[in-house]
């Protein structure tokens, strides 16, 4: 992917679409699943899911291609995208469709878990190859995951605040990580 497109997507398009999706809601008492139930937001949710999924898929594969041998756990990138797509297309209507709603939650949650586990594995492997070079990135990722856990505990649910924070911070983090890995390989 072109550097300008990646920058535009990571620093503008993903943050804007993520915040706008939940703009007029209470970020701590609702989440993207609930917001996507309205017909006016179904297409916005599909666009957001496609944008975020394709971005992470592309950028993480770009990072992985710069590493030889390829990082362990690379299949988690595809798994994360698949789970996100399943989460986006599976309806969340707990009163009318309890089992599909349960699957929606499982798919969506494990899409983020798969992405996080891959990033942890990737940073671990980078730190083994380049001792000390990626320590700051490890701390930043730990901070993102810690703050995500705090947001989960504060709201008691996977809230819009958590979804917004994790999506934007992970998108920017991956963009910065690609820059670092690219510099290291030049």
């Amino acid at each position: 992917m072109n550097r300008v497109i990646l920058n535009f997507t990571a620093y503008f398009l993903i943050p804007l679409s993520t915040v706008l999706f939940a703009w007029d809601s209470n970020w701590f008492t609702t989440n993207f699943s609930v917001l996507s139930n309205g017909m006016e937001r179904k297409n916005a949710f599909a666009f957001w899911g496609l944008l975020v999924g394709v971005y992470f898929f592309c950028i993480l594969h770009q990072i992985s291609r710069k590493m030889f041998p390829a990082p362990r756990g690379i299949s988690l990138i595809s798994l994360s995208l698949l789970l996100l797509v399943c989460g986006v297309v599976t309806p969340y209507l707990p009163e009318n469709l309890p089992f599909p709603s349960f699957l929606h939650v499982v798919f969506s949650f494990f899409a983020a878990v798969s992405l996080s586990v891959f990033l942890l594995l990737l940073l671990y492997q980078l730190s083994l190859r380049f001792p000390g070079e990626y320590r700051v990135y490890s701390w930043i990722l730990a901070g993102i995951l810690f703050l995500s856990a705090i947001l989960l505990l504060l709201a008691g649910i996977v809230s819009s605040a958590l979804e917004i924070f994790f999506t934007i911070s992970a998108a920017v983090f991956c963009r910065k990580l690609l820059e670092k890995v690219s510099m290291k390989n030049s």
Side-chain angles (χ1 to χ4, degrees):
M1 248 185 180
N2 180 313
R3 183 172 179 238
V4 173
I5 293 171
L6 284 173
N7 286 342
F8 178 75
T9 305
Y11 302 131
F12 179 74
L13 195 55
I14 288 177
L16 181 67
S17 64
T18 303
V19 169
L20 285 179
F21 185 74
W23 183 257
D24 59 348
S25 65
N26 184 326
W27 290 5
F28 286 93
T29 60
T30 191
N31 58 39
F32 283 24
S33 300
V34 172
L35 295 173
S36 70
N37 283 337
M39 289 308 276
E40 66 280 352
R41 287 203 171 139
K42 233 179 221 335
N43 289 337
F45 185 60
F47 169 77
W48 175 83
L50 181 66
L51 171 69
V52 169
V54 168
Y55 170 79
F56 283 119
F57 183 83
C58 291
I59 199 160
L60 292 174
H61 272 288
Q62 279 193 8
I63 292 168
S64 298
R65 278 195 297 268
K66 297 194 179 295
M67 297 176 64
F68 184 80
R72 290 192 182 116
I74 198 165
S75 60
L76 290 170
I77 301 170
S78 298
L79 177 62
S80 181
L81 177 62
L82 176 65
L83 290 169
L84 180 63
V85 168
C86 289
V88 167
V89 300
T90 305
Y92 182 76
L93 300 165
E95 295 81 29
N96 301 333
L97 302 168
F99 186 68
S101 298
F102 169 76
L103 290 177
H104 169 90
V105 171
V106 169
F107 293 147
S108 301
F109 180 77
F110 282 105
V113 168
S114 299
L115 175 68
S116 300
V117 170
F118 176 75
L119 288 172
L120 288 167
L121 286 172
L122 180 67
L123 284 171
Y124 175 71
Q125 292 169 66
L126 285 167
S127 68
L128 289 177
R129 292 180 192 182
F130 308 101
E133 287 286 322
Y134 290 89
R135 184 172 292 131
V136 170
Y137 289 86
S138 297
W139 281 107
I140 291 170
L141 181 59
I144 290 169
L145 297 176
F146 178 74
L147 289 173
S148 295
I150 295 295
L151 287 169
L152 179 62
L153 292 173
L154 283 174
I157 62 167
V158 175
S159 64
S160 293
L162 170 55
E163 292 166 321
I164 290 165
F165 170 75
F166 182 80
T167 301
I168 294 171
S169 60
V172 171
F173 176 81
C174 288
R175 181 64 189 111
K176 293 294 188 185
L177 185 59
L178 176 60
E179 289 174 7
K180 173 74 172 176
V181 170
S182 296
M183 278 192 333
K184 196 75 185 156
N185 287 344
S186 324

